[in-house]
Amino acid sequence: MNAPFAQTRAIANEFVAAGVREIVALRGDALKGTGGFKPHPEGFNDSCELIAALKEHGDFAIRVGAYPEPHPEAANDNTDVEWLKRKFDAGADEAITQFFFSADTFLWFRDCGAAAGIDKPITPGIFPIDNWDGARRCAASCGASVPNWLNTAFRAAERDGAAICWPLRLRRTCAAN
């Protein structure tokens, strides 16, 4: 969203002309070294303004981001549910969550959303892991907690030589074949 309204509308026009009907609308991360998100002076103040403009502009199915664990900028535990409700009220059709490592994290967030009146789909986000240290750094940067048991399991797999990237394991063939 670090763009003026006119540029965003021009891009939306290009999407419509190309037949794009599904969009993931995100506020985006703060620019490096800026100390936090600051809207473009001639742009949208937040993701809700972007969602409403896209909904008015074209016949888009709009998906948005959601945080089942506190977003790094969240004021409290309810902030992320409140923001998601605002995104749906602005016109979003579905949410995709930030990745998480515990099913209870997602279920708690989904239930809080339902209690807040959210009745649209919330899809759990996944994060394929091919490098545990990189996954941990990514989790730390976005506020996803890493359970101790998972860290211990990955360290044990590395120690035992079993920390093979999971897509490689899918390529093996069954002995019956």
Side-chain angles (χ1 to χ4, degrees):
M1 287 188 14
N2 190 27
F5 298 118
Q7 181 181 1
T8 304
R9 287 191 180 102
I11 293 168
N13 284 336
E14 291 175 20
F15 287 162
V16 169
V20 173
R21 295 292 178 257
E22 298 190 24
I23 291 181
V24 177
L26 303 172
R27 182 198 78 181
D29 294 331
L31 297 174
K32 290 194 186 293
T34 60
F37 176 78
K38 293 180 180 57
H40 189 282
E42 297 171 11
F44 301 103
N45 288 313
D46 58 44
S47 58
C48 295
E49 288 183 6
L50 172 64
I51 293 160
L54 288 171
K55 205 62 169 180
E56 288 176 13
H57 191 73
D59 187 23
F60 295 118
I62 299 175
R63 289 174 183 80
V64 296
Y67 275 80
E69 294 184 276
H71 183 281
E73 298 173 13
N76 60 56
D77 285 345
N78 295 321
T79 300
D80 296 302
V81 172
E82 292 165 3
W83 268 106
L84 182 56
K85 176 82 168 92
R86 289 181 60 200
K87 291 175 187 181
F88 281 130
D89 290 346
D93 299 294
E94 181 179 351
I96 303 169
T97 72
Q98 178 62 268
F99 70 92
F100 51 88
F101 294 108
S102 169
D104 287 343
T105 298
F106 173 77
L107 297 172
W108 174 85
F109 183 73
R110 181 205 59 192
D111 292 349
C112 288
I118 294 173
D119 60 359
K120 293 186 180 179
I122 302 173
T123 302
I126 60 169
F127 186 77
I129 299 170
D130 64 356
N131 177 300
W132 181 238
D133 289 331
R136 287 185 45 197
R137 281 191 303 275
C138 186
S141 72
C142 68
S145 59
V146 178
N148 287 333
W149 67 264
L150 187 57
N151 191 49
T152 300
F154 266 96
R155 294 297 173 225
E158 288 171 349
R159 179 198 66 220
D160 298 343
I164 298 172
C165 177
W166 69 268
L168 297 176
R169 291 181 183 211
L170 295 177
R171 293 188 193 126
R172 66 183 181 183
T173 57
C174 179
N177 292 338

